[in-house]
Amino acid sequence: MIKIAPSILSADFAAMGDAVKKLKAQGADWVHFDVMDGNFVPNITFGPGMCQAIRPYTDLPIDVHLMVEHPSDWIEPFKKAGADVLTIHAESSERHLHRALQAIHAAGMQAGVVLNPATPIEACVHLLPECDLVLLMSVNPGFGGQSFIPETLVKIKKLREEIDRRGLSTLIEIDGGVNPETARLCIEAGANVLVAGSAVFKAPDPAAMIKALRCE
Ligand code: DX5
Ligand code: ZN
């Protein structure tokens, strides 16, 4: 069963509660929450305050993607703000990813590591037992509306083989440039969770788009 995680980065920031409230009825599985610090990536979005603000508007899991330096500093604030899933970048200033993943679990959230397009999957293979999910970026992080990088499919296939060979249940999440065409390729390669920002929020019928992204 493929999960669809609309990224509220592409929602109307002035009507965020309403946008989040609609997602469940539109068929979404998770709410993807892109945190950018203007340092790790060249953009700034929102933080725990926004997470806390939207929490009452949905009972879907909130999937927080930390595109920040020092991600460990934000584990407790996001737990308090109601986050369910927390992912941290392997390329961030966190030197002890394994410990950080354990800290996310200890705080009671699902934990995952994120790899940029340039980072080989070897950066996460020894972390897999600590990962509920691995997020593979299919664009360079920082902005919505970019084009899917096809080389990501090679990474998905390699990671899927590694997870299956070891009998693990780690989910593979894909983020960036996901539309009905690239969604199909990702699913065929072995992805489980698809993030979609502009595809969902710019669609005339978001519910139909979420259904199309499942490629059932
Ligand atoms: C990019 C973010 C994505 C972004 C995806 O840095 O991590 O979640 O919102 O947007 P689309 O689906 O428009 O590529
Ligand atoms: Zn994201």
Side-chain angles (χ1 to χ4, degrees), residues 32 34 65 67 135 137 175 195:
H32 188 77
D34 285 307
H65 173 193
M67 287 165 275
L135 172 47
M137 291 305 301
D175 187 2
V195 176

Side-chain angles (χ1 to χ4, degrees), residues 104-181:
I104 296 169
H105 280 142
M109 295 178 284
Q110 292 187 58
V113 68
V114 192
L115 304 183
N116 278 333
T119 304
I121 63 150
E122 283 69 21
C124 75
V125 291
H126 299 297
L127 298 170
L128 288 177
E130 290 299 330
C131 289
D132 298 291
L133 70 162
V134 171
L135 172 47
L136 298 179
M137 291 305 301
S138 40
V139 298
N140 288 296
F143 304 94
Q146 304 180 77
S147 298
F148 185 86
I149 298 171
E151 188 73 12
T152 312
L153 298 169
V154 179
K155 292 171 72 177
I156 301 173
K157 284 183 192 138
K158 281 175 75 176
L159 186 55
R160 169 53 53 207
E161 279 170 20
E162 178 71 12
I163 289 168
D164 290 352
R165 187 180 64 74
R166 292 165 64 180
L168 298 169
S169 54
T170 317
L171 300 175
I172 302 178
E173 181 176 29
I174 305 303
D175 187 2
V178 172
N179 57 40
E181 291 82 57

